[in-house]
């Protein structure tokens, strides 16, 4: 459980960040990390278009640089984007000055006020510096679709076990996650709809209600 749904004690280390946005109606928020890439992101976009769902894509700046057409497709289809650093850096293992510069480099391409740290890890200086410019969005459920030791069925089990009203759910439009996301994402959407959830995109307005 520590990985799939981080405990309250960890969340309290980062005051003012967003993990979950509960509503009166059962609502979830789909987010996708690590893209955009041509091998996976178009599949996600096609499925979301078919299902009438808008989502938030936390993009790696170098992938935006390499695949600007795919990034533009995300924008053209009405999804929101967020910053996920330029090189998918893990804050714990990166000097804060270099980490903040890397986020700034990604911002030159992504132009979003939303930021999600890779692996959900930030040093304190990184956190207090970045929150001056960005709204930092973590998650309530990470599906672990990137874990190639897990099957698509096991990824689905994570969605079923941990999703609750207001959950911000993380999938990954990455090569590591390709097999599992192709299996689990359409089934997760169908399951959540059957459970009475509606899907919303992260906006400045609903983020204000986040916890």
């Amino acid at each position: 459980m520590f990985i799939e749904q981080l405990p309250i004690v960890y969340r309290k280390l980062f005051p003012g960040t967003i993990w979950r946005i509960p509503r009166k109606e059962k609502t979830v928020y789909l987010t996708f990390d690590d893209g955009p890439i041509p091998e996976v992101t178009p599949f996600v976009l096609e499925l979301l278009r078919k299902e009438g769902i808008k989502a938030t894509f936390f993009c790696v700046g170098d992938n935006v640089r390499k695949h600007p057409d795919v990034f533009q497709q995300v924008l053209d289809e009405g999804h929101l984007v967020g910053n996920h650093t330029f090189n998918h850096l893990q804050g714990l293992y990166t000097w804060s000055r270099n980490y903040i510069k890397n986020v700034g480099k990604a911002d030159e391409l992504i132009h979003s006020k939303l930021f999600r740290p890779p692996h959900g890890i930030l040093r304190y200086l990184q956190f207090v510096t970045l929150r001056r410019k960005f709204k930092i969005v973590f998650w309530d459920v990470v599906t672990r679709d990137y874990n190639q030791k897990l099957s698509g069925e096991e990824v689905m089990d994570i969605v079923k076990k941990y999703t609750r009203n207001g959950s911000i759910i993380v999938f990954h439009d990455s090569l590591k996650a390709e097999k599992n996301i192709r299996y689990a994402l359409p089934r997760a959407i169908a399951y959540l709809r059957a459970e009475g959830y509606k899907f919303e995109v992260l906006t400045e307005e609903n983020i204000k209600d986040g916890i």
Side-chain angles (χ1 to χ4, degrees):
M1 177 175 177
F2 184 82
I3 296 175
E4 293 89 348
Q5 195 168 66
L6 293 172
I8 292 176
V9 65
Y10 185 82
R11 301 180 188 214
K12 287 185 175 180
L13 295 176
F14 304 102
T17 59
I18 302 300
W19 299 82
R20 179 174 167 238
I21 309 173
R23 295 292 198 184
K24 291 182 180 179
E25 293 183 81
K26 293 173 69 175
T27 304
V28 292
Y29 304 81
L30 291 182
T31 67
F32 299 88
D33 287 4
D34 298 356
I37 60 170
E39 295 88 350
V40 184
T41 308
F43 159 76
V44 174
L45 292 174
E46 181 179 359
L47 179 62
L48 295 178
R49 187 187 322 118
K50 177 183 175 183
E51 297 290 345
I53 295 171
K54 301 300 181 187
T56 306
F57 289 76
F58 287 89
C59 300
V60 173
D62 197 38
N63 284 338
V64 174
R65 178 190 65 82
K66 290 186 289 189
H67 310 295
D69 53 333
V70 183
F71 179 69
Q72 189 60 49
Q73 185 181 357
V74 173
L75 297 174
D76 289 345
E77 299 206 11
H79 303 287
L80 295 187
V81 296
N83 189 323
H84 202 46
T85 77
F86 192 85
N87 295 109
H88 200 262
L89 297 182
Q90 189 172 145
L92 185 63
Y93 302 116
T94 308
W95 290 112
S96 292
R97 180 178 178 182
N98 294 339
Y99 189 90
I100 293 162
K101 285 178 64 177
N102 198 267
V103 173
K105 186 176 180 181
D107 186 45
E108 293 174 3
L109 296 172
I110 297 169
H111 306 297
S112 172
K113 294 298 183 183
L114 303 181
F115 173 73
R116 173 177 283 162
H119 308 282
I121 298 173
L122 285 172
R123 295 186 183 205
Y124 185 71
L125 180 58
Q126 296 162 1
F127 166 61
V128 297
T129 301
L130 291 171
R131 72 178 178 180
R132 295 172 188 156
K133 181 173 183 179
F134 299 96
K135 192 64 179 180
I136 300 175
V137 181
F138 286 89
W139 59 81
D140 191 49
V141 180
V142 61
T143 63
R144 297 182 68 199
D145 53 349
Y146 56 82
N147 188 335
Q148 297 179 338
K149 294 181 179 179
L150 297 182
S151 66
E153 291 89 347
E154 289 172 311
V155 172
M156 268 300 299
D157 287 342
I158 291 170
V159 173
K160 292 178 180 179
K161 183 175 182 179
Y162 293 106
T163 299
R164 54 186 171 171
N165 182 26
S167 284
I168 298 172
I169 303 172
V170 183
F171 285 91
H172 296 77
D173 51 329
S174 68
L175 290 176
K176 285 184 178 180
E178 181 175 9
K179 174 180 67 71
N180 283 335
I181 196 174
R182 287 182 181 273
Y183 177 91
L185 181 59
R187 290 167 175 81
I189 291 172
Y191 168 80
L192 292 168
R193 280 214 164 113
E195 290 294 305
Y197 288 98
K198 68 175 184 175
F199 297 87
E200 286 194 7
V201 67
L202 300 175
T203 65
E204 288 188 15
E205 187 61 32
N206 61 36
I207 281 177
K208 292 177 183 177
D209 300 324
I211 57 176

